Amino acid sequence: MNFDLYEFRCEIEGVELDCKLEYEPPEKNDPDAPDVEESMLLVNAYTNGVDIAHLLMQSLVDHICVLALEKMKEESNDF
């Protein structure tokens, strides 16, 4: 599978992170399944060249995903 990852830089708990996330578009109007809102999935979170995504608490991962989705929407509205 070949897909582009969204790159997002943020500071969490005083640590600068270079994150890569996968965008998942909304899925609506499928009679066989409930609607699914758009979302982001954290793939990598680098600090000093080390991927620490697997070490982050789920609440921090969720926060990063929300921030990244908001930023991506802002950027798309700028054009």
Side-chain angles (χ1 to χ4, degrees):
M1 173 190 287
N2 186 8
F3 53 87
D4 292 327
L5 296 176
Y6 179 70
E7 295 185 21
F8 177 67
R9 176 172 268 186
C10 62
E11 181 178 318
I12 301 292
E13 303 277 325
V15 177
E16 288 285 330
L17 296 173
D18 292 317
C19 301
K20 296 189 186 310
L21 301 101
E22 180 180 355
Y23 174 71
E24 305 213 353
E27 295 179 21
K28 298 187 184 226
N29 299 323
D30 182 349
D32 297 327
D35 290 348
V36 177
E37 298 298 321
E38 66 184 341
S39 63
M40 293 289 230
L41 174 65
L42 182 66
V43 177
N44 305 103
Y46 293 99
T47 184
N48 296 321
V50 177
D51 185 4
I52 63 165
H54 63 287
L55 300 174
L56 298 175
M57 292 185 322
Q58 188 61 47
S59 61
L60 294 176
V61 171
D62 294 343
H63 184 65
I64 291 168
C65 292
V66 168
L67 291 175
L69 185 59
E70 290 173 356
K71 180 71 172 176
M72 188 184 77
K73 285 181 176 182
E74 278 179 22
E75 290 172 350
S76 67
N77 288 336
D78 288 344
F79 295 105

